[in-house]
Amino acid sequence: MDLIHYITLFIILFTLYGIAVGSYPVFRMNRSTIALAGATILLFLGAINVEQAYSAIDLNTIVLLFAMMIINANLQLSGFFRIISSRIIMIAKTPKQLLILITLSAGILSAFFLNDTIVIVFTPLVISLTRSLRRNSIPYLIVLATAANIGSSATIIGNPQNMIIGISSGISFSKYAFFQTIPAVFGLVVVVVIVALFYKKEFSSGSFEQVSTEEVKTFKPLLIKSVAATLLMITALFAGVTIPIAALGGAVILLITRRLKPERVFKEINWSLLVFFAALFIVTKSIDTSGFGIHLERTLEPYLTQSITSLALSSTVLSNIVSNVPAVLLLRPIIPKFINADQAWLVLGMATTFAGNLTLIGSVANLIVAESAKKQNIHLSFGEYLKAGLIITLITLLIGIAWFSIVF
């Protein structure tokens, strides 16, 4: 290799490393700016040209993610998520009931509204609730993060890596949900059991003292419209409508309004995440255009294609090295080479999502929970999370591997 190739390889690895750890100590950069800087430098180096870079950006994924953000923004502004949290407070009478309700609500909602959105909304609510009940917030925060990750594996719109897999594979929304729901449900059961075992003292006490709750303020017209648009979108998805179009249709219904200014909705959009995805598509594509892709495939393919177990374990390891979205993009060219490509795509989705529960830095949802807790003087440490996260990940992966071995 010449000097340019060595520099290109360094920039690719340096960018992926920065994305994995989330920042560089010397610079005020996050994953989005790291990915954008890496993509731009690779363009200057000639590792990828402008036309290739533009074509590398998967607009279906960007449109789907953007549309889901609009729907989630309307649901949040309408008070939908506050209603859910208030119902949890009203129903839960014991620590175990609260554990189960947080697991179910985080898991189910994450399947349809993005796991990152759910933990952003729910983390302050869980902390406020556990403090008012004089409970240890840590186990409930671990449950929130792990349940959101596992629940998001059930559908194509549950998390960003599933979106990429769903669009790349061509697997229908209903088929994806049919095969992924069972391991997700069992995974949520595992979360409840493991956390309850690790924090026996927290869940051995009796009933809560009665806690007064404030009346939830909602924007009723927007609430009704948001729920209706969401149900229409889900119906369209199960009916076989193209996934980005179904989501965009639901989003547009909510943007046609006389009550809510567009600025309020667009203020809630995570533009940084959209920039991250666009730049990451370019960075991963440059691995191919610079000639490194063929070497990567030759190295990984013999092992990955041995069995779904080797694929699941390799995906888990890779997801915890470079993060789950880059892992999916790196493995995407290899998956069609499997004898049963649909099975391989589904295993990849399961493994890269469940892998997020292994460590505190394994998924963005985990980091959101930890950072939100830190702002309220609650320290969810790497070691504290790892105790439950490691066991949850291993058991759920075994369940997923067994399931996909049986059904295919």
Side-chain angles (χ1 to χ4, degrees):
M1 291 193 300
D2 58 22
L3 180 60
I4 293 297
H5 273 81
Y6 280 114
I7 295 173
T8 298
L9 180 59
F10 174 78
I11 294 299
I12 291 171
L13 294 176
F14 195 66
T15 302
L16 291 176
Y17 173 78
I19 290 169
V21 298
S23 64
Y24 284 123
V26 181
F27 304 102
R28 289 181 178 272
M29 300 176 73
N30 59 15
R31 285 181 170 87
S32 300
T33 54
I34 290 169
L36 183 59
T40 304
I41 294 170
L42 289 167
L43 279 164
F44 271 108
L45 289 172
I48 185 171
N49 61 44
V50 175
E51 289 75 19
Q52 291 169 328
Y54 289 158
S55 64
I57 299 173
D58 191 330
L59 290 178
N60 282 321
T61 302
I62 300 295
V63 168
L64 175 56
L65 192 57
F66 175 65
M68 290 305 303
M69 287 179 182
I70 292 175
I71 292 170
N72 291 344
N74 278 271
L75 286 165
Q76 187 166 347
L77 291 170
S78 71
F80 173 80
F81 295 117
R82 290 192 296 274
I83 292 174
I84 300 295
S85 63
S86 69
R87 293 295 181 269
I88 293 173
I89 296 171
M90 291 172 60
I91 296 171
K93 305 300 180 185
T94 66
K96 285 184 179 178
Q97 287 181 7
L98 182 58
L99 171 70
I100 293 169
L101 286 170
I102 290 175
T103 302
L104 288 176
S105 57
I108 294 171
L109 290 173
S110 292
F112 297 100
F113 305 114
L114 288 174
N115 55 346
D116 294 352
T117 298
I118 300 306
V119 296
I120 287 171
V121 174
F122 270 68
T123 301
L125 299 172
V126 169
I127 292 173
S128 175
L129 174 58
T130 51
R131 278 180 168 171
S132 65
L133 294 169
R134 298 178 182 177
R135 312 304 301 185
N136 177 10
S137 298
I138 296 297
Y140 299 99
L141 292 174
I142 293 173
V143 162
L144 174 62
T146 53
N149 286 331
I150 290 172
S152 73
S153 70
T155 70
I156 287 172
I157 59 175
N159 59 55
Q161 64 267 21
N162 281 8
M163 293 181 183
I164 295 171
I165 290 170
I167 291 169
S168 300
S169 66
I171 297 173
S172 69
F173 183 89
S174 56
K175 181 178 180 179
Y176 196 95
F178 175 80
F179 283 108
Q180 297 285 19
T181 298
I182 295 298
V185 168
F186 278 100
L188 294 178
V189 174
V190 170
V191 168
V192 171
V193 173
I194 296 302
V195 173
L197 287 174
F198 271 95
Y199 296 91
K200 287 183 179 179
K201 185 177 179 180
E202 170 63 29
F203 299 105
S204 61
S205 56
S207 301
F208 292 137
E209 296 178 9
Q210 189 65 35
V211 178
S212 59
T213 57
E214 296 181 2
E215 184 180 352
V216 178
K217 294 181 180 180
T218 61
F219 186 4
K220 195 170 181 179
L222 181 60
L223 177 62
I224 294 171
K225 188 177 181 181
S226 298
V227 172
T230 302
L231 292 174
L232 284 172
M233 177 196 69
I234 294 171
T235 301
L237 288 169
F238 277 109
V241 175
T242 304
I243 295 168
I245 299 302
L248 193 59
V252 167
I253 290 173
L254 294 172
L255 290 175
I256 301 172
T257 177
R258 294 182 301 170
R259 295 186 174 90
L260 195 63
K261 291 182 179 179
E263 289 79 6
R264 288 198 64 189
V265 175
F266 291 136
K267 189 178 179 180
E268 301 293 325
I269 302 299
N270 189 344
W271 300 104
S272 178
L273 185 60
L274 295 175
V275 170
F276 168 72
F277 264 82
L280 185 59
F281 280 125
I282 296 171
V283 172
T284 53
K285 182 64 177 178
S286 69
I287 296 174
D288 287 329
T289 57
S290 59
F292 297 116
I294 188 66
H295 299 293
L296 182 65
E297 286 186 38
R298 286 174 180 172
T299 303
L300 295 177
E301 187 179 336
Y303 179 69
L304 289 174
T305 55
Q306 284 181 8
S307 65
I308 63 168
T309 301
S310 62
L311 173 60
L313 295 178
S314 301
S315 302
T316 301
V317 172
L318 190 60
S319 293
N320 279 277
I321 294 175
V322 299
S323 190
N324 42 26
V325 173
V328 167
L329 290 174
L330 289 172
L331 296 177
R332 183 169 60 170
I334 299 174
I335 301 303
K337 298 181 180 181
F338 279 75
I339 295 173
N340 190 333
D342 281 3
Q343 180 193 40
W345 283 117
L346 291 164
V347 170
L348 181 65
M350 177 274 297
T352 53
T353 302
F354 288 0
N357 284 333
L358 183 60
T359 67
L360 190 60
I361 61 173
S363 80
V364 175
N366 300 350
L367 294 171
I368 291 170
V369 171
E371 288 301 312
S372 297
K374 186 178 179 181
K375 290 177 182 177
Q376 300 197 42
N377 298 316
I378 296 174
H379 181 55
L380 176 56
S381 68
F382 185 93
E384 186 72 20
Y385 180 92
L386 183 65
K387 289 189 296 184
L390 176 62
I391 304 301
I392 289 170
T393 302
L394 291 175
I395 295 175
T396 52
L397 276 174
L398 289 173
I399 290 172
I401 291 169
W403 167 250
F404 286 112
S405 298
I406 294 169
V407 296
F408 279 94

